[in-house]
Amino acid sequence: MHCTRKIKDDLYWVGANDRRLAMFEGVYSVAGGVSYNSYLLTDEKTVLFDTSDKAIHHRFLENVEYALAGRKLDYLVVQHMEPDHSASLKELLCNYPDVKIVCNAKTLTFIKQFFELDFNFDKNTVIVNENDTLNTGRHTLHFLMAPMVHWPEVMVTYDAEDKILFSADAFGTFGALNGALFADEVDFEKDYLNEYRRYYTNIVGKYGDQVQVLLKKASSLSIEMICPLHGFVWRNSFSSIINKYMLWSGYQPEEKGVMIAYASVYGNTENAAEILSCSLREKGVKTVMYDVSVTHASEIVAAAFRWSHLVFASTTYNAGIFIAMEDLINDLAAHNIQNRAVAVIENGSWAATSGNLIREKLGKCKNIKILEKTLSLKSSLKKSQLSEIEAITDAIAADFPLPVASVKDDVKPASIDTNAMFKFSYGLFVLTARDGEKDNGCVINTAIQVTASPLRVSIAVNKANYTHDMIIKTGAFNISIIDETAPFRIFQQFGFSSGKDTDKFEGCAYNDRAANGIRYVSEHTNSVIAGKVINSYDYGTHTIFVADITQSIVLSNERSVTYQYYFDNIKPKPQPPKESKKGYICKICGYFHEGDLPADFICPLCKHGAADFEPA
Ligand code: FEO
């Protein structure tokens, strides 16, 4: 039975997943499986973007047949000839012998290298070069070469009509798609970023320069969706993955911290590494540790791309570097690791050589700063050598300007008085969005200008708000800045009910819309700002959206309302219920909850938590 997903009215995902594969490319463990994506465009002409791995070719062919719905297949665009995307080519040509193959000259060479096909290439191949186009009816496809991302023949395709980039291996990942096709259907940062990093660094990490060329080409396009050959489709807020690609391809660390990889036969080298890690932590420096005999090198390569400082601690083995550590060091050099500070610890019971050999190999990599402070163990760490661990710690910590309180400082015990939050000069805003014909809005208290050039704003939005989901889907919103003339009913209207069940604009005497088509509140507000989301960050209960400001209008010169002003002058003072029932009153909206208040209670009106309730 087919298993497809519709992406647009005329675009289908027709790929499939393999969860039985143990080692991708025979090298990388894929405990979470892998997806092989393929896409079918059903325009006036039908176009298939790539085929599939042999492991899933039955499901793939079934999916293509279903999505074609009896139509013939006009074009097969071959963007990448690695067999995880081309092994089904022969079977596909058997089913659709009249299809025209669209590819570049290098790809055609590879097709002929991999397959001996009874196919009239002269008649049925469309060879494309950089910026060539193919019109399929409503859509015009533009072909852009992306050599070495990740093979020399790779090209990507831009659909100018729907602003979709079919990105080949770029922006892909290890991991099967478990029903979710779109990145916004999952918690990307929490559940998938590590595998995206492991995929990128190990598969195309060596080719950072070529990835940067592709990113530059992509930056000149207006892109609303990215369809890669592995992993999720990105339909909004994909700047988070693009930002990661910028860092990874530039060999810049994502985080300041220390990755410690150690090789230890009897635990003594491990002991020194552990003590160093503790010592760094005491200086406030983040550390992660890997035993190279246990953790697959692909995990450690990914970690080395993530962290700013690297420590390698290795015993000496056969007069050289311990086997797994030597493999790791070679792997890192092969993946072009750059721009890192490195410290080395060696061990050797009679002739320690591993330290110098590690320094020699990594010293050939670009912009690797090898710290002078080092530690050479003879069998085990001695008390007299603790000062050397301290010296390495100090040398690394010098790059981490973190203030660490000493015992002499007047340190207040950690506690949180949430009232301090109201001392910020929060404003209050009506945040509006539109999805299809549905207009909606909610009240937020966190909207700030982030940068002036380009003009950008950030907002934090509670995920419980329907407006949040609409922004996730559409990537656009308006902020109406409430002024001091606003009556309480504005807050009730937009803040105390869900747009899922109500029309937030019901009864409004105005119907103003910004150029983005989204309504805004034009009474008791002094300005409106329209935003187009360029990035989003998941922070548990809330999402922070960063957006380009696409329009801003000043409506009046009234002063903006602050949270303080709202509490002092607008919000009615909470009244205890007439009957003296035991319960709690929400300090934000006045909602009364009868009885005990569970710690995880959420106000049904304004969505604030139990911390914002007080006994009635
Ligand atoms: Fe997913 Fe380079 O193949």
Side-chain angles (χ1 to χ4, degrees), residues 408-441:
K408 284 179 265 169
D409 292 335
D410 183 15
V411 179
K412 302 283 185 294
S415 65
I416 293 175
D417 181 346
T418 53
N419 288 318
M421 302 301 120
F422 300 131
K423 301 300 182 192
F424 282 125
S425 56
Y426 288 125
L428 283 159
F429 315 90
V430 180
L431 177 71
T432 49
R434 179 175 173 83
D435 181 15
E437 293 306 306
K438 173 75 173 172
D439 292 301
N440 195 35

Side-chain angles (χ1 to χ4, degrees), residues 18-39:
D18 182 1
R19 296 184 185 80
R20 289 194 168 183
L21 182 68
M23 302 297 273
F24 184 80
E25 293 185 359
V27 184
Y28 307 110
S29 58
V30 279
V34 65
S35 77
Y36 302 108
N37 298 340
S38 174
Y39 304 94

Side-chain angles (χ1 to χ4, degrees), residues 24-25 36 80 82 84-85 150-151 169 199 203 229-230:
F24 184 80
E25 293 185 359
Y36 302 108
H80 186 16
E82 192 166 10
D84 54 332
H85 309 294
H150 119 258
W151 276 19
D169 272 343
Y199 175 86
I203 302 296
L229 289 177
H230 301 285

Side-chain angles (χ1 to χ4, degrees), residues 445-600:
N445 62 7
T446 317
I448 54 169
Q449 182 184 337
V450 179
T451 55
S453 179
L455 205 50
R456 283 182 177 153
V457 66
S458 79
I459 55 173
V461 189
N462 192 317
K463 290 180 181 173
N465 286 320
Y466 185 38
T467 315
H468 169 275
D469 298 348
M470 294 169 80
I471 296 172
I472 286 281
K473 189 168 173 196
T474 64
F477 59 80
N478 290 340
I479 304 163
S480 302
I481 302 178
I482 304 173
D483 67 40
E484 290 184 354
T485 68
F488 187 55
R489 71 170 165 77
I490 296 272
F491 299 90
Q492 286 177 302
Q493 181 178 352
F494 288 98
F496 297 171
S497 62
S498 170
K500 284 188 182 121
D501 321 311
T502 57
D503 174 5
K504 293 287 190 85
F505 287 92
E506 189 177 0
C508 289
Y510 54 86
N511 187 17
D512 300 283
R513 293 182 189 276
N516 58 13
I518 299 172
R519 289 186 75 167
Y520 61 89
V521 177
S522 54
E523 60 171 23
H524 306 295
T525 54
N526 59 24
S527 302
V528 60
I529 290 168
K532 185 172 188 319
V533 175
I534 58 165
N535 217 333
S536 65
Y537 303 92
D538 189 327
Y539 281 96
T541 58
H542 287 62
T543 298
I544 293 178
F545 297 100
V546 177
D548 282 333
I549 295 176
T550 56
Q551 185 179 11
S552 55
I553 309 165
V554 174
L555 302 171
S556 81
N557 289 323
E558 297 292 345
R559 289 156 59 99
S560 301
V561 78
T562 62
Y563 224 95
Q564 186 75 48
Y565 187 91
Y566 168 76
F567 277 121
D568 292 346
N569 301 289
I570 299 177
K571 188 176 81 70
K573 300 291 174 253
Q575 298 294 319
K578 293 206 173 70
E579 319 105 76
S580 56
K581 288 180 183 167
K582 182 174 179 289
Y584 292 80
I585 288 181
C586 176
K587 290 186 283 184
I588 307 300
C589 69
Y591 174 80
F592 175 71
H593 173 80
E594 187 179 349
D596 293 335
L597 192 72
D600 60 354

